Amino acid sequence: QSVLTQPPSVSAAPGQKVTISCSGSSSDIGSNSVSWYQQLPGTAPKLLIYEDDKRPSGIPGRFSGSKSGTSATLGITGLQTGDEADYYCGTWDSSLSGGVFGGGTKLTVL
Amino acid sequence: QVQLVESGGGVVQPGRSLRLSCAASGFTFSNYGMHWVRQAPGKGLEWVSAIQSDGSKKYYADSVKGRFSISRDYSKNTLYLEMNSLRAEDTAVYYCARDDCTSPSCFPYWGQGTLVTVSS
């Protein structure tokens, strides 16, 4: 069972917007910044968002991140079929002194 | 360009040991903390271990503490994960990742992964 809680799946039509939630606690999300990753089948994860809301160079502005208290959210607008993937949130847990990930959310673009 | 190349995976019997390597190139290895993250077949990401840029601090997930050991060789620009007393539940693709954030971790660079299968 993952420390961070994500919905197992979300879906939306092409062109629409979707949000993926990530819930934690005071020792992880509440104390540390959150990153978001996209993983296509058979490939290594790709960093989409770091430090809660920053995008690495090359990541489109359609991807956004936010955090409030012990929860974080990934938003994706203008959905494309190529966005179909698994998405993971991650952070550090100050109590565990270790990294933690969410269980992952499978995005389906209908 | 930044490259991380893992090696050392394979099939190993329960209770045996294996050492994974992650060869780093394209950046100053001594400037970055490094992590191992694994993914069991069909499952999500699981953080395994981390080592600070100067090697002074090491961190482990509870699931591997006491069995796995992380280290780094600056002369070879290589990260290692020594895995002992392997169990079936350690079966996974193991990724090494470079930590680019200080608050506290994010991974813009990952290796391609190496598969470890623990089976008799």
Side-chain angles (χ1 to χ4, degrees), chain A residues 32-33 35 37 39 43-45 47 50-51 88 92 96-101 103, chain B residues 35 37 39 43-47 59 95 101 103-108 110-111:
Chain A
N32 299 291
S33 60
S35 302
Y37 302 87
Q39 188 178 35
T43 68
L47 180 66
Y50 68 100
E51 292 180 0
Y88 296 89
W92 189 260
L96 298 175
S97 290
V100 288
F101 286 100
Chain B
H35 296 241
V37 176
Q39 187 169 34
K43 303 296 185 182
L45 302 176
E46 181 187 12
W47 177 84
Y59 306 90
Y95 296 101
C101 290
S103 59
S105 59
C106 66
F107 312 126
W110 298 67

PDB file of all heavy atoms in Angstrom, chain A residues 32-33 35 37 39 43-45 47 50-51 88 92 96-101 103, chain B residues 35 37 39 43-47 59 95 101 103-108 110-111:
ATOM      1  N   ASN A  32       7.089  18.734   2.434  1.00  0.00           N
ATOM      2  CA  ASN A  32       8.043  18.698   1.329  1.00  0.00           C
ATOM      3  C   ASN A  32       7.358  18.944  -0.004  1.00  0.00           C
ATOM      4  O   ASN A  32       6.147  18.749  -0.141  1.00  0.00           O
ATOM      5  CB  ASN A  32       8.739  17.334   1.304  1.00  0.00           C
ATOM      6  CG  ASN A  32       9.506  17.059   2.576  1.00  0.00           C
ATOM      7  OD1 ASN A  32      10.524  17.693   2.858  1.00  0.00           O
ATOM      8  ND2 ASN A  32       9.034  16.099   3.371  1.00  0.00           N
ATOM      9  N   SER A  33       8.133  19.322  -0.978  1.00  0.00           N
ATOM     10  CA  SER A  33       7.569  19.613  -2.292  1.00  0.00           C
ATOM     11  C   SER A  33       7.235  18.314  -3.032  1.00  0.00           C
ATOM     12  O   SER A  33       7.763  17.249  -2.729  1.00  0.00           O
ATOM     13  CB  SER A  33       8.540  20.465  -3.119  1.00  0.00           C
ATOM     14  OG  SER A  33       9.759  19.780  -3.292  1.00  0.00           O
ATOM     15  N   SER A  35       6.556  16.150  -6.699  1.00  0.00           N
ATOM     16  CA  SER A  35       6.880  15.986  -8.107  1.00  0.00           C
ATOM     17  C   SER A  35       5.823  15.097  -8.750  1.00  0.00           C
ATOM     18  O   SER A  35       5.184  14.281  -8.069  1.00  0.00           O
ATOM     19  CB  SER A  35       8.252  15.337  -8.283  1.00  0.00           C
ATOM     20  OG  SER A  35       9.266  16.089  -7.673  1.00  0.00           O
ATOM     21  N   TYR A  37       5.156  12.541 -12.288  1.00  0.00           N
ATOM     22  CA  TYR A  37       5.813  11.799 -13.353  1.00  0.00           C
ATOM     23  C   TYR A  37       4.771  11.156 -14.261  1.00  0.00           C
ATOM     24  O   TYR A  37       3.723  10.704 -13.794  1.00  0.00           O
ATOM     25  CB  TYR A  37       6.719  10.707 -12.767  1.00  0.00           C
ATOM     26  CG  TYR A  37       7.771  11.261 -11.841  1.00  0.00           C
ATOM     27  CD1 TYR A  37       7.489  11.462 -10.495  1.00  0.00           C
ATOM     28  CD2 TYR A  37       9.024  11.633 -12.307  1.00  0.00           C
ATOM     29  CE1 TYR A  37       8.432  12.003  -9.636  1.00  0.00           C
ATOM     30  CE2 TYR A  37       9.977  12.170 -11.463  1.00  0.00           C
ATOM     31  CZ  TYR A  37       9.668  12.364 -10.131  1.00  0.00           C
ATOM     32  OH  TYR A  37      10.612  12.912  -9.285  1.00  0.00           O
ATOM     33  N   GLN A  39       4.442   8.025 -17.014  1.00  0.00           N
ATOM     34  CA  GLN A  39       5.117   6.812 -17.473  1.00  0.00           C
ATOM     35  C   GLN A  39       4.318   6.139 -18.577  1.00  0.00           C
ATOM     36  O   GLN A  39       3.186   5.697 -18.351  1.00  0.00           O
ATOM     37  CB  GLN A  39       5.357   5.829 -16.327  1.00  0.00           C
ATOM     38  CG  GLN A  39       6.219   4.639 -16.735  1.00  0.00           C
ATOM     39  CD  GLN A  39       6.513   3.685 -15.601  1.00  0.00           C
ATOM     40  OE1 GLN A  39       5.682   3.476 -14.732  1.00  0.00           O
ATOM     41  NE2 GLN A  39       7.702   3.088 -15.613  1.00  0.00           N
ATOM     42  N   THR A  43       8.528   2.225 -20.574  1.00  0.00           N
ATOM     43  CA  THR A  43       9.541   3.280 -20.538  1.00  0.00           C
ATOM     44  C   THR A  43       9.767   3.764 -19.109  1.00  0.00           C
ATOM     45  O   THR A  43       8.955   3.514 -18.212  1.00  0.00           O
ATOM     46  CB  THR A  43       9.144   4.480 -21.400  1.00  0.00           C
ATOM     47  OG1 THR A  43       8.014   5.133 -20.808  1.00  0.00           O
ATOM     48  CG2 THR A  43       8.801   4.044 -22.817  1.00  0.00           C
ATOM     49  N   ALA A  44      10.867   4.462 -18.906  1.00  0.00           N
ATOM     50  CA  ALA A  44      11.147   5.050 -17.599  1.00  0.00           C
ATOM     51  C   ALA A  44      10.224   6.236 -17.370  1.00  0.00           C
ATOM     52  O   ALA A  44       9.745   6.870 -18.317  1.00  0.00           O
ATOM     53  CB  ALA A  44      12.604   5.499 -17.530  1.00  0.00           C
ATOM     54  N   PRO A  45       9.950   6.554 -16.114  1.00  0.00           N
ATOM     55  CA  PRO A  45       9.124   7.724 -15.820  1.00  0.00           C
ATOM     56  C   PRO A  45       9.762   9.008 -16.347  1.00  0.00           C
ATOM     57  O   PRO A  45      10.982   9.111 -16.468  1.00  0.00           O
ATOM     58  CB  PRO A  45       9.062   7.730 -14.290  1.00  0.00           C
ATOM     59  CG  PRO A  45       9.314   6.316 -13.901  1.00  0.00           C
ATOM     60  CD  PRO A  45      10.311   5.814 -14.910  1.00  0.00           C
ATOM     61  N   LEU A  47       9.710  13.247 -15.763  1.00  0.00           N
ATOM     62  CA  LEU A  47       9.331  14.306 -14.832  1.00  0.00           C
ATOM     63  C   LEU A  47       8.469  15.354 -15.532  1.00  0.00           C
ATOM     64  O   LEU A  47       8.889  15.934 -16.537  1.00  0.00           O
ATOM     65  CB  LEU A  47      10.585  14.962 -14.247  1.00  0.00           C
ATOM     66  CG  LEU A  47      10.368  16.096 -13.257  1.00  0.00           C
ATOM     67  CD1 LEU A  47       9.717  15.572 -11.972  1.00  0.00           C
ATOM     68  CD2 LEU A  47      11.698  16.787 -12.933  1.00  0.00           C
ATOM     69  N   TYR A  50       7.905  19.639 -10.845  1.00  0.00           N
ATOM     70  CA  TYR A  50       8.735  19.524  -9.658  1.00  0.00           C
ATOM     71  C   TYR A  50       8.500  20.733  -8.754  1.00  0.00           C
ATOM     72  O   TYR A  50       7.970  21.749  -9.200  1.00  0.00           O
ATOM     73  CB  TYR A  50      10.212  19.375 -10.028  1.00  0.00           C
ATOM     74  CG  TYR A  50      10.836  20.600 -10.662  1.00  0.00           C
ATOM     75  CD1 TYR A  50      11.620  21.466  -9.909  1.00  0.00           C
ATOM     76  CD2 TYR A  50      10.642  20.885 -12.013  1.00  0.00           C
ATOM     77  CE1 TYR A  50      12.189  22.582 -10.481  1.00  0.00           C
ATOM     78  CE2 TYR A  50      11.208  21.999 -12.595  1.00  0.00           C
ATOM     79  CZ  TYR A  50      11.986  22.846 -11.831  1.00  0.00           C
ATOM     80  OH  TYR A  50      12.551  23.966 -12.398  1.00  0.00           O
ATOM     81  N   GLU A  51       8.870  20.577  -7.509  1.00  0.00           N
ATOM     82  CA  GLU A  51       8.667  21.638  -6.509  1.00  0.00           C
ATOM     83  C   GLU A  51       7.246  22.187  -6.576  1.00  0.00           C
ATOM     84  O   GLU A  51       7.027  23.396  -6.612  1.00  0.00           O
ATOM     85  CB  GLU A  51       9.724  22.726  -6.690  1.00  0.00           C
ATOM     86  CG  GLU A  51      11.117  22.209  -6.335  1.00  0.00           C
ATOM     87  CD  GLU A  51      12.212  23.258  -6.505  1.00  0.00           C
ATOM     88  OE1 GLU A  51      11.907  24.393  -6.907  1.00  0.00           O
ATOM     89  OE2 GLU A  51      13.376  22.918  -6.249  1.00  0.00           O
ATOM     90  N   TYR A  88       2.286   9.437 -11.658  1.00  0.00           N
ATOM     91  CA  TYR A  88       2.661   9.213 -10.271  1.00  0.00           C
ATOM     92  C   TYR A  88       3.052  10.529  -9.602  1.00  0.00           C
ATOM     93  O   TYR A  88       3.748  11.361 -10.201  1.00  0.00           O
ATOM     94  CB  TYR A  88       3.861   8.272 -10.177  1.00  0.00           C
ATOM     95  CG  TYR A  88       3.618   6.871 -10.673  1.00  0.00           C
ATOM     96  CD1 TYR A  88       3.834   6.541 -12.010  1.00  0.00           C
ATOM     97  CD2 TYR A  88       3.161   5.879  -9.806  1.00  0.00           C
ATOM     98  CE1 TYR A  88       3.612   5.249 -12.474  1.00  0.00           C
ATOM     99  CE2 TYR A  88       2.938   4.583 -10.260  1.00  0.00           C
ATOM    100  CZ  TYR A  88       3.164   4.276 -11.584  1.00  0.00           C
ATOM    101  OH  TYR A  88       2.942   2.998 -12.047  1.00  0.00           O
ATOM    102  N   TRP A  92       9.177  13.420  -0.474  1.00  0.00           N
ATOM    103  CA  TRP A  92      10.011  12.857   0.585  1.00  0.00           C
ATOM    104  C   TRP A  92       9.185  12.808   1.858  1.00  0.00           C
ATOM    105  O   TRP A  92       8.363  13.684   2.102  1.00  0.00           O
ATOM    106  CB  TRP A  92      11.243  13.743   0.783  1.00  0.00           C
ATOM    107  CG  TRP A  92      12.285  13.186   1.690  1.00  0.00           C
ATOM    108  CD1 TRP A  92      12.497  13.497   3.009  1.00  0.00           C
ATOM    109  CD2 TRP A  92      13.280  12.225   1.354  1.00  0.00           C
ATOM    110  NE1 TRP A  92      13.560  12.789   3.499  1.00  0.00           N
ATOM    111  CE2 TRP A  92      14.069  11.992   2.507  1.00  0.00           C
ATOM    112  CE3 TRP A  92      13.608  11.529   0.186  1.00  0.00           C
ATOM    113  CZ2 TRP A  92      15.142  11.101   2.523  1.00  0.00           C
ATOM    114  CZ3 TRP A  92      14.678  10.655   0.200  1.00  0.00           C
ATOM    115  CH2 TRP A  92      15.432  10.443   1.353  1.00  0.00           C
ATOM    116  N   LEU A  96       9.856   9.133   7.760  1.00  0.00           N
ATOM    117  CA  LEU A  96      10.477   7.894   7.287  1.00  0.00           C
ATOM    118  C   LEU A  96      11.916   8.113   6.841  1.00  0.00           C
ATOM    119  O   LEU A  96      12.687   7.161   6.716  1.00  0.00           O
ATOM    120  CB  LEU A  96       9.677   7.315   6.115  1.00  0.00           C
ATOM    121  CG  LEU A  96       8.235   6.902   6.382  1.00  0.00           C
ATOM    122  CD1 LEU A  96       7.560   6.477   5.074  1.00  0.00           C
ATOM    123  CD2 LEU A  96       8.178   5.772   7.396  1.00  0.00           C
ATOM    124  N   SER A  97      12.266   9.377   6.571  1.00  0.00           N
ATOM    125  CA  SER A  97      13.565   9.691   5.944  1.00  0.00           C
ATOM    126  C   SER A  97      13.745   8.879   4.676  1.00  0.00           C
ATOM    127  O   SER A  97      14.764   8.179   4.479  1.00  0.00           O
ATOM    128  CB  SER A  97      14.727   9.415   6.918  1.00  0.00           C
ATOM    129  OG  SER A  97      14.729  10.351   7.969  1.00  0.00           O
ATOM    130  N   GLY A  98      12.735   8.976   3.831  1.00  0.00           N
ATOM    131  CA  GLY A  98      12.787   8.239   2.579  1.00  0.00           C
ATOM    132  C   GLY A  98      11.820   8.808   1.574  1.00  0.00           C
ATOM    133  O   GLY A  98      10.924   9.581   1.922  1.00  0.00           O
ATOM    134  N   GLY A  99      12.001   8.429   0.329  1.00  0.00           N
ATOM    135  CA  GLY A  99      11.100   8.856  -0.721  1.00  0.00           C
ATOM    136  C   GLY A  99       9.804   8.063  -0.688  1.00  0.00           C
ATOM    137  O   GLY A  99       9.767   6.924  -0.205  1.00  0.00           O
ATOM    138  N   VAL A 100       8.745   8.664  -1.186  1.00  0.00           N
ATOM    139  CA  VAL A 100       7.455   7.993  -1.275  1.00  0.00           C
ATOM    140  C   VAL A 100       6.784   8.366  -2.595  1.00  0.00           C
ATOM    141  O   VAL A 100       6.944   9.486  -3.087  1.00  0.00           O
ATOM    142  CB  VAL A 100       6.523   8.350  -0.098  1.00  0.00           C
ATOM    143  CG1 VAL A 100       7.005   7.703   1.195  1.00  0.00           C
ATOM    144  CG2 VAL A 100       6.418   9.858   0.087  1.00  0.00           C
ATOM    145  N   PHE A 101       6.049   7.414  -3.141  1.00  0.00           N
ATOM    146  CA  PHE A 101       5.286   7.646  -4.362  1.00  0.00           C
ATOM    147  C   PHE A 101       3.829   7.296  -4.116  1.00  0.00           C
ATOM    148  O   PHE A 101       3.496   6.523  -3.214  1.00  0.00           O
ATOM    149  CB  PHE A 101       5.791   6.757  -5.505  1.00  0.00           C
ATOM    150  CG  PHE A 101       7.101   7.183  -6.089  1.00  0.00           C
ATOM    151  CD1 PHE A 101       8.277   6.541  -5.726  1.00  0.00           C
ATOM    152  CD2 PHE A 101       7.168   8.218  -7.008  1.00  0.00           C
ATOM    153  CE1 PHE A 101       9.494   6.914  -6.274  1.00  0.00           C
ATOM    154  CE2 PHE A 101       8.382   8.606  -7.561  1.00  0.00           C
ATOM    155  CZ  PHE A 101       9.544   7.949  -7.184  1.00  0.00           C
ATOM    156  N   GLY A 103       0.318   5.501  -5.633  1.00  0.00           N
ATOM    157  CA  GLY A 103       0.116   4.218  -6.289  1.00  0.00           C
ATOM    158  C   GLY A 103      -0.023   4.302  -7.801  1.00  0.00           C
ATOM    159  O   GLY A 103      -0.011   3.280  -8.487  1.00  0.00           O
TER     160      GLY A 103
ATOM    161  N   HIS B  35      19.514   8.175  -6.582  1.00  0.00           N
ATOM    162  CA  HIS B  35      18.489   7.314  -6.001  1.00  0.00           C
ATOM    163  C   HIS B  35      18.323   6.040  -6.808  1.00  0.00           C
ATOM    164  O   HIS B  35      18.619   6.005  -8.003  1.00  0.00           O
ATOM    165  CB  HIS B  35      17.136   8.023  -5.978  1.00  0.00           C
ATOM    166  CG  HIS B  35      17.083   9.231  -5.107  1.00  0.00           C
ATOM    167  ND1 HIS B  35      16.229   9.334  -4.014  1.00  0.00           N
ATOM    168  CD2 HIS B  35      17.754  10.405  -5.156  1.00  0.00           C
ATOM    169  CE1 HIS B  35      16.374  10.503  -3.446  1.00  0.00           C
ATOM    170  NE2 HIS B  35      17.299  11.179  -4.118  1.00  0.00           N
ATOM    171  N   VAL B  37      15.048   3.494  -7.644  1.00  0.00           N
ATOM    172  CA  VAL B  37      13.602   3.332  -7.604  1.00  0.00           C
ATOM    173  C   VAL B  37      13.280   2.034  -8.343  1.00  0.00           C
ATOM    174  O   VAL B  37      13.881   1.751  -9.380  1.00  0.00           O
ATOM    175  CB  VAL B  37      12.887   4.516  -8.291  1.00  0.00           C
ATOM    176  CG1 VAL B  37      11.368   4.285  -8.334  1.00  0.00           C
ATOM    177  CG2 VAL B  37      13.208   5.827  -7.585  1.00  0.00           C
ATOM    178  N   GLN B  39      10.228  -0.983  -9.734  1.00  0.00           N
ATOM    179  CA  GLN B  39       8.849  -1.174 -10.169  1.00  0.00           C
ATOM    180  C   GLN B  39       8.615  -2.645 -10.425  1.00  0.00           C
ATOM    181  O   GLN B  39       9.158  -3.213 -11.383  1.00  0.00           O
ATOM    182  CB  GLN B  39       8.568  -0.350 -11.426  1.00  0.00           C
ATOM    183  CG  GLN B  39       7.122  -0.358 -11.858  1.00  0.00           C
ATOM    184  CD  GLN B  39       6.855   0.673 -12.941  1.00  0.00           C
ATOM    185  OE1 GLN B  39       7.705   0.954 -13.787  1.00  0.00           O
ATOM    186  NE2 GLN B  39       5.672   1.271 -12.922  1.00  0.00           N
ATOM    187  N   LYS B  43       3.095  -3.162 -11.416  1.00  0.00           N
ATOM    188  CA  LYS B  43       2.843  -2.376 -10.215  1.00  0.00           C
ATOM    189  C   LYS B  43       3.375  -0.960 -10.345  1.00  0.00           C
ATOM    190  O   LYS B  43       3.927  -0.583 -11.383  1.00  0.00           O
ATOM    191  CB  LYS B  43       3.491  -3.064  -9.001  1.00  0.00           C
ATOM    192  CG  LYS B  43       3.016  -4.487  -8.776  1.00  0.00           C
ATOM    193  CD  LYS B  43       1.529  -4.547  -8.452  1.00  0.00           C
ATOM    194  CE  LYS B  43       1.108  -5.967  -8.122  1.00  0.00           C
ATOM    195  NZ  LYS B  43      -0.363  -6.059  -7.849  1.00  0.00           N
ATOM    196  N   GLY B  44       3.225  -0.178  -9.289  1.00  0.00           N
ATOM    197  CA  GLY B  44       3.660   1.203  -9.296  1.00  0.00           C
ATOM    198  C   GLY B  44       5.122   1.377  -8.898  1.00  0.00           C
ATOM    199  O   GLY B  44       5.842   0.412  -8.648  1.00  0.00           O
ATOM    200  N   LEU B  45       5.530   2.631  -8.845  1.00  0.00           N
ATOM    201  CA  LEU B  45       6.903   2.961  -8.472  1.00  0.00           C
ATOM    202  C   LEU B  45       7.091   2.818  -6.964  1.00  0.00           C
ATOM    203  O   LEU B  45       6.217   3.173  -6.181  1.00  0.00           O
ATOM    204  CB  LEU B  45       7.233   4.394  -8.886  1.00  0.00           C
ATOM    205  CG  LEU B  45       7.092   4.735 -10.362  1.00  0.00           C
ATOM    206  CD1 LEU B  45       7.353   6.226 -10.584  1.00  0.00           C
ATOM    207  CD2 LEU B  45       8.023   3.902 -11.205  1.00  0.00           C
ATOM    208  N   GLU B  46       8.258   2.308  -6.598  1.00  0.00           N
ATOM    209  CA  GLU B  46       8.619   2.197  -5.176  1.00  0.00           C
ATOM    210  C   GLU B  46      10.021   2.745  -4.988  1.00  0.00           C
ATOM    211  O   GLU B  46      10.976   2.238  -5.579  1.00  0.00           O
ATOM    212  CB  GLU B  46       8.559   0.756  -4.685  1.00  0.00           C
ATOM    213  CG  GLU B  46       8.915   0.622  -3.200  1.00  0.00           C
ATOM    214  CD  GLU B  46       9.026  -0.811  -2.730  1.00  0.00           C
ATOM    215  OE1 GLU B  46       9.064  -1.735  -3.576  1.00  0.00           O
ATOM    216  OE2 GLU B  46       9.091  -1.023  -1.506  1.00  0.00           O
ATOM    217  N   TRP B  47      10.155   3.763  -4.165  1.00  0.00           N
ATOM    218  CA  TRP B  47      11.478   4.300  -3.846  1.00  0.00           C
ATOM    219  C   TRP B  47      12.243   3.284  -3.012  1.00  0.00           C
ATOM    220  O   TRP B  47      11.681   2.662  -2.108  1.00  0.00           O
ATOM    221  CB  TRP B  47      11.324   5.608  -3.085  1.00  0.00           C
ATOM    222  CG  TRP B  47      12.621   6.200  -2.656  1.00  0.00           C
ATOM    223  CD1 TRP B  47      13.452   6.988  -3.398  1.00  0.00           C
ATOM    224  CD2 TRP B  47      13.254   6.030  -1.392  1.00  0.00           C
ATOM    225  NE1 TRP B  47      14.565   7.329  -2.661  1.00  0.00           N
ATOM    226  CE2 TRP B  47      14.469   6.750  -1.433  1.00  0.00           C
ATOM    227  CE3 TRP B  47      12.922   5.343  -0.226  1.00  0.00           C
ATOM    228  CZ2 TRP B  47      15.341   6.808  -0.352  1.00  0.00           C
ATOM    229  CZ3 TRP B  47      13.788   5.391   0.852  1.00  0.00           C
ATOM    230  CH2 TRP B  47      14.978   6.112   0.782  1.00  0.00           C
ATOM    231  N   TYR B  59      20.061   6.516   2.634  1.00  0.00           N
ATOM    232  CA  TYR B  59      18.696   6.309   3.088  1.00  0.00           C
ATOM    233  C   TYR B  59      18.135   5.055   2.428  1.00  0.00           C
ATOM    234  O   TYR B  59      18.462   4.748   1.276  1.00  0.00           O
ATOM    235  CB  TYR B  59      17.818   7.507   2.721  1.00  0.00           C
ATOM    236  CG  TYR B  59      18.359   8.837   3.195  1.00  0.00           C
ATOM    237  CD1 TYR B  59      19.222   9.589   2.392  1.00  0.00           C
ATOM    238  CD2 TYR B  59      18.009   9.360   4.444  1.00  0.00           C
ATOM    239  CE1 TYR B  59      19.716  10.809   2.824  1.00  0.00           C
ATOM    240  CE2 TYR B  59      18.495  10.586   4.881  1.00  0.00           C
ATOM    241  CZ  TYR B  59      19.344  11.293   4.070  1.00  0.00           C
ATOM    242  OH  TYR B  59      19.829  12.509   4.497  1.00  0.00           O
ATOM    243  N   TYR B  95      15.506   1.160 -11.411  1.00  0.00           N
ATOM    244  CA  TYR B  95      15.957   2.367 -12.088  1.00  0.00           C
ATOM    245  C   TYR B  95      16.887   3.157 -11.161  1.00  0.00           C
ATOM    246  O   TYR B  95      16.623   3.274  -9.964  1.00  0.00           O
ATOM    247  CB  TYR B  95      14.789   3.291 -12.417  1.00  0.00           C
ATOM    248  CG  TYR B  95      13.758   2.755 -13.385  1.00  0.00           C
ATOM    249  CD1 TYR B  95      12.554   2.241 -12.921  1.00  0.00           C
ATOM    250  CD2 TYR B  95      13.967   2.812 -14.763  1.00  0.00           C
ATOM    251  CE1 TYR B  95      11.582   1.790 -13.810  1.00  0.00           C
ATOM    252  CE2 TYR B  95      13.004   2.369 -15.651  1.00  0.00           C
ATOM    253  CZ  TYR B  95      11.811   1.853 -15.165  1.00  0.00           C
ATOM    254  OH  TYR B  95      10.849   1.409 -16.048  1.00  0.00           O
ATOM    255  N   CYS B 101      16.740  18.226  -7.253  1.00  0.00           N
ATOM    256  CA  CYS B 101      16.094  19.193  -6.381  1.00  0.00           C
ATOM    257  C   CYS B 101      16.711  19.151  -4.984  1.00  0.00           C
ATOM    258  O   CYS B 101      17.225  18.120  -4.566  1.00  0.00           O
ATOM    259  CB  CYS B 101      14.599  18.920  -6.289  1.00  0.00           C
ATOM    260  SG  CYS B 101      13.717  19.278  -7.815  1.00  0.00           S
ATOM    261  N   SER B 103      14.691  20.324  -2.427  1.00  0.00           N
ATOM    262  CA  SER B 103      13.553  20.437  -1.529  1.00  0.00           C
ATOM    263  C   SER B 103      12.456  19.423  -1.782  1.00  0.00           C
ATOM    264  O   SER B 103      11.328  19.786  -2.069  1.00  0.00           O
ATOM    265  CB  SER B 103      12.983  21.845  -1.657  1.00  0.00           C
ATOM    266  OG  SER B 103      12.578  22.080  -3.023  1.00  0.00           O
ATOM    267  N   PRO B 104      12.679  18.157  -1.488  1.00  0.00           N
ATOM    268  CA  PRO B 104      13.998  17.594  -1.302  1.00  0.00           C
ATOM    269  C   PRO B 104      14.453  16.732  -2.479  1.00  0.00           C
ATOM    270  O   PRO B 104      15.639  16.479  -2.623  1.00  0.00           O
ATOM    271  CB  PRO B 104      13.811  16.711  -0.080  1.00  0.00           C
ATOM    272  CG  PRO B 104      12.399  16.221  -0.225  1.00  0.00           C
ATOM    273  CD  PRO B 104      11.622  17.278  -0.969  1.00  0.00           C
ATOM    274  N   SER B 105      13.547  16.246  -3.328  1.00  0.00           N
ATOM    275  CA  SER B 105      14.031  15.386  -4.403  1.00  0.00           C
ATOM    276  C   SER B 105      13.104  15.434  -5.598  1.00  0.00           C
ATOM    277  O   SER B 105      11.882  15.509  -5.455  1.00  0.00           O
ATOM    278  CB  SER B 105      14.174  13.937  -3.928  1.00  0.00           C
ATOM    279  OG  SER B 105      12.950  13.443  -3.475  1.00  0.00           O
ATOM    280  N   CYS B 106      13.705  15.392  -6.781  1.00  0.00           N
ATOM    281  CA  CYS B 106      12.951  15.237  -8.014  1.00  0.00           C
ATOM    282  C   CYS B 106      13.900  14.603  -9.017  1.00  0.00           C
ATOM    283  O   CYS B 106      15.111  14.752  -8.920  1.00  0.00           O
ATOM    284  CB  CYS B 106      12.401  16.570  -8.531  1.00  0.00           C
ATOM    285  SG  CYS B 106      13.639  17.752  -9.072  1.00  0.00           S
ATOM    286  N   PHE B 107      13.339  13.893  -9.972  1.00  0.00           N
ATOM    287  CA  PHE B 107      14.154  13.062 -10.850  1.00  0.00           C
ATOM    288  C   PHE B 107      13.886  13.352 -12.326  1.00  0.00           C
ATOM    289  O   PHE B 107      13.039  12.716 -12.942  1.00  0.00           O
ATOM    290  CB  PHE B 107      13.879  11.579 -10.565  1.00  0.00           C
ATOM    291  CG  PHE B 107      13.909  11.234  -9.102  1.00  0.00           C
ATOM    292  CD1 PHE B 107      12.835  10.598  -8.497  1.00  0.00           C
ATOM    293  CD2 PHE B 107      14.993  11.561  -8.310  1.00  0.00           C
ATOM    294  CE1 PHE B 107      12.846  10.288  -7.147  1.00  0.00           C
ATOM    295  CE2 PHE B 107      15.028  11.259  -6.961  1.00  0.00           C
ATOM    296  CZ  PHE B 107      13.942  10.620  -6.373  1.00  0.00           C
ATOM    297  N   PRO B 108      14.609  14.305 -12.907  1.00  0.00           N
ATOM    298  CA  PRO B 108      14.441  14.564 -14.333  1.00  0.00           C
ATOM    299  C   PRO B 108      15.193  13.580 -15.222  1.00  0.00           C
ATOM    300  O   PRO B 108      14.914  13.487 -16.412  1.00  0.00           O
ATOM    301  CB  PRO B 108      15.004  15.976 -14.502  1.00  0.00           C
ATOM    302  CG  PRO B 108      15.985  16.112 -13.382  1.00  0.00           C
ATOM    303  CD  PRO B 108      15.452  15.288 -12.251  1.00  0.00           C
ATOM    304  N   TRP B 110      16.493   9.554 -15.623  1.00  0.00           N
ATOM    305  CA  TRP B 110      16.376   8.159 -15.204  1.00  0.00           C
ATOM    306  C   TRP B 110      17.170   7.280 -16.170  1.00  0.00           C
ATOM    307  O   TRP B 110      17.334   7.614 -17.341  1.00  0.00           O
ATOM    308  CB  TRP B 110      14.915   7.701 -15.261  1.00  0.00           C
ATOM    309  CG  TRP B 110      13.968   8.425 -14.368  1.00  0.00           C
ATOM    310  CD1 TRP B 110      13.575   9.735 -14.451  1.00  0.00           C
ATOM    311  CD2 TRP B 110      13.237   7.860 -13.276  1.00  0.00           C
ATOM    312  NE1 TRP B 110      12.662  10.017 -13.470  1.00  0.00           N
ATOM    313  CE2 TRP B 110      12.431   8.880 -12.740  1.00  0.00           C
ATOM    314  CE3 TRP B 110      13.176   6.588 -12.687  1.00  0.00           C
ATOM    315  CZ2 TRP B 110      11.584   8.681 -11.641  1.00  0.00           C
ATOM    316  CZ3 TRP B 110      12.326   6.384 -11.615  1.00  0.00           C
ATOM    317  CH2 TRP B 110      11.550   7.423 -11.105  1.00  0.00           C
ATOM    318  N   GLY B 111      17.617   6.147 -15.674  1.00  0.00           N
ATOM    319  CA  GLY B 111      18.185   5.153 -16.566  1.00  0.00           C
ATOM    320  C   GLY B 111      17.074   4.373 -17.250  1.00  0.00           C
ATOM    321  O   GLY B 111      15.889   4.627 -17.022  1.00  0.00           O
TER     322      GLY B 111
END
